């Protein structure tokens, strides 16, 4: 989040889709300015660079090129750094001037085009906007071309769309694309209508270009709705730039924006339909381009109508199928959200359960220690202390589960050193410990008996191996070997008696060791260590559950 000047709310960086739309607007606006400049140059000098292949028909009028140049330049400025499409400028006067220009320029373009088209419909020889260019062409000896009524009509549509979209951006400089519904001088319906007008301008450019592609342009010879090929191209670029100015929050980009299945289908099929329509125009057909003036308009309308019908059908199918997929996605997301909430609740309850079990075991351990203080016989006191150690080994498992994000497995890499450290704390002389514990995670069904077994083996070493040693040492190892878990304890004590066997021990600790080993479905072996002392090896199968 970044701070914004003048007390405006903080501005979030534009997402990738909005940035791509802005880059596309820059490209379309720049191409529009280039086409308009070449059209104006041709209208004033007669060098028809863009319409040289169709000189038999009407090229772009100079007045048309001027209006394209004005709107194209304005659209370029909208996405330039420091424009209204960017963060607000530091000077209020500059901001006000840009806002006035953004309102006045589209209004003047629409007004001039309307007046020019009205003059043509009233039968005047030259419209008001064409009049000065007619005099310039006469002085230069260049053929003069008037703006057609169709061109004037789409300029009015473009000007109105510009006016609404630009004013919307001025009212909400944080969101110039119009994705947010903030207070401005136009209603949301007007903003959506402006996006629809931009789409109409795109459709007009496609329609007239398809007429040229099919060899039946709409049509200069018949005088119905004449439009130059370069003018149709410029309207296509202008409409695309206006659609980008509307942004993904308004029609028509709203249908294509976002990760929803409907938007994905629209992005896939609608461009494919347009591409197939243009590709069809590249294949020669019987009589193409040889139609008379009367039937040329009908042929062009049929060609365009076919493309529009296919596009509409594809759009309806995409909306219907995409809408169904969207509903399915929403239902799935709602179910997943409910499952996540239930899982979070059960996780909290399970953590609380482990926490309470750990607290209760600590209470039992403390009571056992407190009771040991009132026992006079030292041997009986040792029994209480051993019981306390066993309880602490079990409480430590629940403590690790309570603190861990994984409530099913215990990290033995941290559990083993903590348990052994608790058992050896306060020993005199201090016991040097060496740990070789791998990254082993055991379920609670294995970690609990494994921890108690380790507790018994460490206490057995303290009782029988370390007394009388000046520098006692204990090495503890835990690792995975295939499908088995291997736990080893080695001490530097005097070693095992010559006649020692596991079954010969009659102490409660050895009985518990055998019972825990059977619970783990494992085996235990005690043998002399390589450097003296005793080596205890416990093996048991690893189970995921």
């Amino acid at each position: 989040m970044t701070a914004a000047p003048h007390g405006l709310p903080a501005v979030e960086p534009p997402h990738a889709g909005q940035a791509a739309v802005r880059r596309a607007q820059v490209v379309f606006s720049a191409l529009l300015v280039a086409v308009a400049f070449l059209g104006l140059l041709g209208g004033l000098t007669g060098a028809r660079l863009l319409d040289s292949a169709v000189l038999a028909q009407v090229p772009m009028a100079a007045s048309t090129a001027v209006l394209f140049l004005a709107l194209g330049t304005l659209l370029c400025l909208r996405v330039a750094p420091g424009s209204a499409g960017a963060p607000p400028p530091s000077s209020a006067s500059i901001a006000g001037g840009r806002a006035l220009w953004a309102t006045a320029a589209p209004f003047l373009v629409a007004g001039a085009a309307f007046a020019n088209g009205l003059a043509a419909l009233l039968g005047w020889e030259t419209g008001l906007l064409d009049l000065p260019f007619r005099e310039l062409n006469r002085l230069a000896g260049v053929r003069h071309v008037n703006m057609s009524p169709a061109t004037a009509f789409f300029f009015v549509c473009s000007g109105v769309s510009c006016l609404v979209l630009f004013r919307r951006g001025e009212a909400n400089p944080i969101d110039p694309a119009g994705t947010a519904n903030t207070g401005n001088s136009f209603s949301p319906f007007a903003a959506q209508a402006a996006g629809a007008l931009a789409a109409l301008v795109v459709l007009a450019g496609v329609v007239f270009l398809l007429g040229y592609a099919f060899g039946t342009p709409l049509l200069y010879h018949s005088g119905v709705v004449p439009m130059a090929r370069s003018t149709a191209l410029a309207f296509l670029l202008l409409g695309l730039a206006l659609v980008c100015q509307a942004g993904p929050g308004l029609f028509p980009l709203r249908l294509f924006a976002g990760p929803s299945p409907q938007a994905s289908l629209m992005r896939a099929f609608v461009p494919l339909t347009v591409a197939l329509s243009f590709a069809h125009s590249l294949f020669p057909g019987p009589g193409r381009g040889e139609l008379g003036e009367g039937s040329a308009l009908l042929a062009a309308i049929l060609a365009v109508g076919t493309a529009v019908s296919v596009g509409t059908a594809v759009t309806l199918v995409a909306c219907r199928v995409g809408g169904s997929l969207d509903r399915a996605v929403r239902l799935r997301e709602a179910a997943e959200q409910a499952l996540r909430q239930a899982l979070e609740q059960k996780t909290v309850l399970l953590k609380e359960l482990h926490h309470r079990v750990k607290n209760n075991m600590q209470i039992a351990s403390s009571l056992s220690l407190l009771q040991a203080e009132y026992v006079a016989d030292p041997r009986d006191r040792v029994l209480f202390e051993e019981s306390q150690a066993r309880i602490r080994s079990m409480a430590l498992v629940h403590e690790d589960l309570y603190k861990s994000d994984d409530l099913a497995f215990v990290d033995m890499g941290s559990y083993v050193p903590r348990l052994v450290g608790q058992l050896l704390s306060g020993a005199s002389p201090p016991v040097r410990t060496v740990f070789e514990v791998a990254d082993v995670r055991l379920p609670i069904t294995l970690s609990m008996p494994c921890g108690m077994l380790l507790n018994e083996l460490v206490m057995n070493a303290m009782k029988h191996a370390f007394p009388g040693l000046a520098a006692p040492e204990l090495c503890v190892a835990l690792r995975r070997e295939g499908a088995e878990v291997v736990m080893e304890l080695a001490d530097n004590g005097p070693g095992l008696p010559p006649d020692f066997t596991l079954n010969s021990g009659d102490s409660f600790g050895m009985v518990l060791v055998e019972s825990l080993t059977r619970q783990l479905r494992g085996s235990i072996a005690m043998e002399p260590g390589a450097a003296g002392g005793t080596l205890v090896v416990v093996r048991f199968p690893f189970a995921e559950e």
Side-chain angles (χ1 to χ4, degrees):
M1 183 77 71
T2 55
H6 304 294
L8 291 171
V11 183
E12 291 289 350
H15 54 77
Q18 188 174 353
V21 169
R22 284 288 170 251
R23 288 193 295 269
Q25 180 177 344
V26 172
V27 173
F28 294 140
S29 301
L31 290 176
L32 175 62
V33 171
V35 171
F37 177 78
L38 292 177
L40 180 61
L41 182 65
L44 295 179
T45 64
R48 304 290 185 176
L49 301 178
L50 295 178
D51 298 294
S52 58
V54 287
L55 284 178
Q57 292 139 1
V58 180
M60 181 187 291
S63 56
T64 300
V66 169
L67 297 187
F68 278 132
L69 197 60
L71 291 180
T73 303
L74 185 59
L75 285 167
C76 286
L77 293 177
R78 293 293 295 180
V79 290
S83 66
S90 57
S91 172
S93 59
I94 295 177
R98 285 174 175 164
L100 180 62
W101 168 248
T103 302
F107 182 79
L108 291 176
V109 168
F114 178 79
N116 215 66
L118 182 62
L121 293 177
L122 292 177
W124 296 4
E125 184 179 357
T126 302
L128 298 178
L129 187 60
D130 285 317
L131 186 60
F133 293 102
R134 182 184 184 88
E135 295 301 320
L136 288 176
N137 290 143
R138 185 181 62 81
L139 294 176
V142 178
R143 174 189 173 189
H144 174 69
V145 177
N146 287 327
M147 180 188 299
S148 71
T151 301
F153 171 77
F154 289 114
F155 267 128
V156 172
C157 295
S158 302
V160 173
S161 178
C162 280
L163 180 64
V164 176
L165 295 177
F166 289 175
R167 286 291 299 274
R168 183 179 178 85
E170 292 294 340
N172 183 16
I174 301 300
D175 184 28
T179 57
N181 185 16
T182 58
N184 51 65
S185 56
F186 295 101
S187 65
F189 173 78
Q192 297 293 341
L197 286 176
L200 177 63
V201 175
V202 174
L203 180 62
V206 172
V207 165
F208 284 97
L209 286 178
L210 278 176
Y212 279 102
F214 278 88
T216 55
L218 299 180
L219 199 205
Y220 300 112
H221 292 241
S222 62
V224 180
V225 278
M227 182 179 290
R229 183 177 60 180
S230 57
T231 303
L233 175 62
F235 270 125
L236 176 60
L237 296 172
L238 175 59
L240 291 173
L242 289 175
V243 167
C244 294
Q245 175 64 34
L250 297 178
F251 180 85
L253 285 185
R254 184 183 59 188
L255 300 176
F256 300 86
S260 66
Q262 177 178 337
S264 300
L265 290 173
M266 294 290 289
R267 289 194 296 267
F269 286 110
V270 172
L272 180 62
T273 302
V274 176
L276 289 176
S277 299
F278 276 104
H280 176 64
S281 68
L282 299 178
F283 293 94
R288 178 173 295 179
E290 301 174 1
L291 298 175
E293 295 179 6
S295 59
L297 179 61
L298 177 61
I301 291 176
L302 289 176
V304 173
T306 301
V308 172
S309 299
V310 174
T312 302
V314 169
T315 301
L316 292 176
V317 171
C319 290
R320 178 67 61 87
V321 176
S324 300
L325 292 176
D326 282 341
R327 287 190 294 272
V329 169
R330 286 194 295 269
L331 291 175
R332 186 196 66 188
E333 290 177 348
E336 290 178 352
Q337 180 65 22
L339 288 176
R340 282 193 295 268
Q341 291 177 353
L343 180 60
E344 290 175 359
Q345 293 174 358
K346 294 184 183 299
T347 300
V348 172
L349 292 176
L350 191 55
K351 279 181 173 287
E352 181 64 21
L353 176 62
H354 285 299
H355 184 56
R356 290 180 181 271
V357 171
K358 184 260 298 183
N359 288 342
N360 291 336
M361 286 186 171
Q362 286 181 341
I363 292 174
S365 176
S366 300
L367 290 175
S368 177
L369 179 62
L370 184 62
Q371 185 66 42
E373 297 294 332
Y374 293 91
V375 176
D377 191 342
R379 291 175 299 178
D380 294 339
R381 183 177 298 177
V382 169
L383 295 178
F384 277 95
E385 292 174 352
E386 290 177 354
S387 298
Q388 181 200 20
R390 294 183 184 107
I391 294 174
R392 283 191 301 179
S393 69
M394 293 186 291
L396 192 59
V397 171
H398 291 281
E399 182 179 355
D400 284 356
L401 287 173
Y402 168 71
K403 294 180 179 179
S404 174
D405 293 332
D406 188 353
L407 299 179
F409 291 85
V410 176
D411 183 9
M412 302 302 289
S414 63
Y415 173 77
V416 170
R418 290 178 60 193
L419 176 59
V420 175
Q422 285 185 4
L423 294 172
L424 298 180
S425 63
S428 181
V431 180
R432 179 177 178 267
T433 54
V434 178
F435 295 102
E436 297 178 1
V437 183
D439 185 13
V440 178
R441 301 177 67 85
L442 297 180
I444 189 172
T445 54
L446 295 180
S447 59
M448 187 72 73
C450 181
M452 294 184 65
L453 181 58
L454 177 62
N455 178 87
E456 296 301 322
L457 295 175
V458 172
M459 288 195 302
N460 185 71
M462 294 176 63
K463 184 185 299 184
H464 299 288
F466 297 153
L469 291 182
E473 181 176 327
L474 181 66
C475 179
V476 181
L478 185 71
R479 61 184 180 275
R480 283 279 301 272
E481 289 186 358
E484 288 186 331
V485 178
V486 179
M487 183 172 62
E488 296 179 350
L489 279 85
D491 60 62
N492 61 343
L496 296 171
D499 58 345
F500 176 82
T501 61
L502 285 173
N503 296 329
S504 63
D506 57 354
S507 66
F508 175 73
M510 295 309 298
V511 173
L512 189 57
V513 166
E514 293 180 5
S515 175
L516 292 171
T517 304
R518 286 195 302 269
Q519 183 178 344
L520 291 170
R521 294 180 299 153
S523 62
I524 183 170
M526 292 186 178
E527 57 190 37
T534 303
L535 174 64
V536 182
V537 180
V538 179
R539 294 177 178 271
F540 58 91
F542 176 81
E544 292 288 345
E545 297 181 0

